[in-house]
Amino acid sequence: MKKILVLLSGLLLGVTTISCEKFLDIEPQGKIIPKTVEDFRKVLTSAYQGYPKHKSLTNFRTDEVFIEANGENFGFLGVKDVYTFQDANPDKQTLEFGYDQFYKTIFYANQTINEGVNTMETGDEKEQLLGEAYAIRAMAYFDLTNLYAKPYNPATASTDLAIVLQNKIDIENRKPKSTMTEVYAQVHSDIDMAKKHLKVTYYDAGKNYRFTQAAIYALEARVNLYQQEYEAALVSIDKAMTYKSELQNLNTTKDISVADFKSVESILALETALQSTLQSLTYVSQDLLNAFDKENDLRFAVSFEKSGDFYVPIKTGKDNQKVSFRTSDLYMMKAEALTHLNRLGEATDALKTIINNRYKPEAATKVIAYLNGLDQKGMIKAILEESFKEFAFEGRRWFDLRRLDQKEIKHNLGSQVYKLIENDVRYTLPFPKKARENNPNL
């Protein structure tokens, strides 16, 4: 037990920025073991603050971005191997996708679930904290799986190996990988427990990095969609929309990014979609520029600005631009689920809501008319294209491509061309070398 408490102390004091120097150490030394709701709020704050910036890095593997060679830029050295798909032996300066950080977050959640349940005083605050702990653990397992395991395939999920589930403190952490079925069962179990405990409908801006009832149904919708459980996804989406469904109309409101934590669309403002330290080397790809009707699609002017010969992203990259789920996600997921069910008229209606808030009125009418003429295959392609524009530099593109279109991606760097070929195995990341050394079962 002493080793466990020392480890917990080290992890929390290493991550948290709260003023709590004497928090979480061995009680006989005159310090405090977390027991109260106030203590465990600090534990979960550390879990949130330490959540990985993996989505920022995935931008650099997609067709959204291009960079120029600049060996003097520290940010360039951090993303060069990510951008060129050099995963096997990355440079020591290459930024990591946060494998260890995910398990730190899971560690904090486990401590709250396994220990806090016994020591926190009974009441709504305790219930909310337990709900948030289950929710963030579910999200961490889900994100780990969608980085380090193949996309979910219902036909092979019972045998496809995914990641290690770690619901109890284990200093050695050398467990074997669980199957995809087992991991998703754990994610759903955590989501169900979160729904039982969460009390807050949604937090006001400033605290909306925390999980709420609205956010847990948004997460459940995404999990169901990735599992190809489309009817279940629709149920989750409709439930999430009972809490939040308003979109920001770019015809009238352009002074705030839709990815801002204060946006009317914000459901969960937890993740950094593009690190500010990387923004200076990030340029918008020609593929993404070509996807826009620059005159009529209002997203273009509020997402990018000209910088010399190129365009740079401005929708994300600032500290106030935090986004994990927003209401636009719900409409796009609804359109996709309905399309997979071949309910194309309803899918168009879901997309129509986005289109009317993103295009000038006359152009919106033409886009909707075009959508009405598409078959199922064409609608999936249209949804992927709209998502490309709607969620540009929000860390969504990589995961959409993994699921729906593992296309060839070419990245130019100097005179060299680096390719991710169609259906490339590198659409799934290898486990980090250090993790494999520590756990031979990976």
Side-chain angles (χ1 to χ4, degrees):
M1 183 64 180
K2 184 175 180 180
K3 288 183 178 179
I4 291 172
L5 291 172
V6 170
L7 177 59
L8 180 59
S9 174
L11 286 174
L12 280 165
L13 292 175
V15 178
T16 185
T17 59
I18 314 171
S19 178
C20 53
E21 298 176 346
K22 295 185 178 181
F23 188 64
L24 288 173
D25 209 327
I26 302 171
E27 208 162 24
Q29 294 181 355
K31 298 187 181 180
I32 303 168
I33 299 170
K35 293 179 180 178
T36 67
V37 292
E38 290 81 8
D39 294 339
F40 280 101
R41 171 52 71 190
K42 293 175 183 177
V43 172
L44 282 186
T45 297
S46 294
Y48 286 123
Q49 289 177 337
Y51 206 79
K53 298 178 174 63
H54 63 294
K55 287 185 176 177
S56 177
L57 276 186
T58 62
N59 293 320
F60 293 90
R61 295 181 77 84
T62 72
D63 51 355
E64 294 172 289
V65 65
F66 83 91
I67 63 176
E68 291 189 309
N70 184 354
E72 297 180 0
N73 186 311
F74 177 77
F76 168 77
L77 296 176
V79 300
K80 176 178 177 289
D81 285 343
V82 177
Y83 181 74
T84 57
F85 315 114
Q86 306 300 309
D87 303 323
N89 294 294
D91 185 87
K92 62 181 180 180
Q93 296 189 68
T94 299
L95 295 172
E96 297 182 350
F97 284 85
Y99 184 85
D100 288 343
Q101 285 71 31
F102 279 115
Y103 281 102
K104 284 183 181 179
T105 291
I106 291 165
F107 181 93
Y108 299 132
N110 287 344
Q111 187 67 11
T112 305
I113 293 165
N114 299 333
E115 302 296 332
V117 68
N118 297 318
T119 65
M120 286 189 286
E121 52 271 37
T122 301
D124 284 353
E125 289 183 89
K126 173 182 179 178
E127 293 302 304
Q128 177 66 23
L129 286 167
L130 289 172
E132 290 181 41
Y134 279 111
I136 200 166
R137 186 170 76 178
M139 188 161 121
Y141 280 142
F142 177 68
D143 283 342
L144 273 166
T145 301
N146 283 284
L147 285 171
Y148 297 104
K150 296 187 297 184
Y152 186 90
N153 181 345
T156 59
S158 62
T159 55
D160 287 339
L161 295 179
I163 60 165
V164 173
L165 293 173
Q166 195 70 45
N167 291 350
K168 294 183 179 179
I169 295 171
D170 180 355
I171 303 301
E172 295 297 325
N173 192 15
R174 293 186 177 181
K175 293 177 65 178
K177 290 184 285 188
S178 296
T179 65
M180 194 73 76
T181 296
E182 291 168 335
V183 171
Y184 273 86
Q186 179 63 57
V187 170
H188 279 292
S189 175
D190 282 348
I191 288 172
D192 288 343
M193 290 299 292
K195 288 191 290 187
K196 290 179 181 179
H197 289 285
L198 287 168
K199 298 296 182 182
V200 177
T201 303
Y202 54 86
Y203 282 107
D204 291 333
K207 292 184 177 180
N208 55 339
Y209 64 88
R210 301 174 179 174
F211 263 96
T212 60
Q213 292 172 346
I216 196 62
Y217 283 103
L219 174 60
E220 184 180 56
R222 186 173 290 174
V223 172
N224 284 328
L225 189 70
Y226 280 37
Q227 279 188 281
Q228 303 172 36
E229 296 287 347
Y230 302 121
E231 293 284 5
L234 291 174
V235 173
S236 304
I237 292 163
D238 288 343
K239 183 65 175 179
M241 284 183 172
T242 65
Y243 298 107
K244 293 204 79 173
S245 61
E246 185 178 355
L247 290 178
Q248 183 174 323
N249 191 336
L250 296 183
N251 285 284
T252 57
T253 306
K254 301 177 183 177
D255 59 342
I256 187 171
S257 167
V258 292
D260 194 290
F261 77 97
K262 292 183 180 180
S263 170
V264 68
E265 297 193 10
S266 181
I267 296 175
L268 182 67
L270 172 60
E271 294 170 280
T272 300
L274 177 63
Q275 290 170 258
S276 57
T277 54
L278 302 178
Q279 191 178 30
S280 63
L281 60 89
T282 305
Y283 298 105
V284 183
S285 72
Q286 196 61 48
D287 284 349
L288 183 51
L289 292 175
N290 291 342
F292 279 90
D293 174 352
K294 300 177 183 63
E295 177 64 27
N296 294 301
D297 190 332
L298 299 166
R299 291 171 295 196
F300 184 81
V302 297
S303 297
F304 317 119
E305 67 180 12
K306 198 75 179 290
S307 177
D309 294 331
F310 307 116
Y311 282 90
V312 296
I314 58 172
K315 184 179 67 172
T316 56
K318 298 181 177 66
D319 290 342
N320 58 306
Q321 294 165 343
K322 300 277 190 177
V323 58
S324 295
F325 295 100
R326 54 189 180 90
T327 50
S328 184
D329 277 291
L330 301 179
Y331 289 99
M332 198 69 76
M333 288 192 290
K334 187 169 188 175
E336 184 186 332
L338 288 165
T339 299
H340 285 297
L341 295 169
N342 209 26
R343 293 159 59 179
L344 302 184
E346 294 171 83
T348 300
D349 286 342
L351 274 181
K352 180 180 177 180
T353 309
I354 296 176
I355 300 302
N356 283 333
N357 285 278
R358 301 299 189 244
Y359 287 82
K360 294 178 181 178
E362 186 175 340
T365 301
K366 293 178 180 178
V367 172
I368 293 164
Y370 166 73
L371 294 173
N372 278 321
L374 296 176
D375 60 10
Q376 186 182 42
K377 183 177 180 181
M379 184 65 84
I380 289 293
K381 183 178 179 181
I383 289 168
L384 193 58
E385 194 76 357
E386 280 301 320
S387 293
F388 192 22
K389 295 176 285 186
E390 177 67 22
F391 303 111
F393 294 97
E394 292 185 40
R396 274 278 301 270
R397 180 65 171 173
W398 177 249
F399 301 99
D400 284 343
L401 290 174
R402 270 171 48 88
R403 293 185 305 117
L404 300 173
D405 182 18
Q406 292 192 5
K407 58 184 278 188
E408 179 179 270
I409 297 175
K410 294 180 181 179
H411 282 170
N412 297 315
L413 189 63
S415 60
Q416 297 293 313
V417 178
Y418 299 88
K419 292 183 181 180
L420 194 68
I421 63 173
E422 186 176 3
N423 299 320
D424 201 307
V425 295
R426 290 173 295 175
Y427 267 105
T428 297
L429 297 177
F431 289 101
K433 181 180 179 181
K434 186 182 295 184
R436 285 183 275 117
E437 289 174 347
N438 290 338
N439 184 357
N441 290 309
L442 291 178

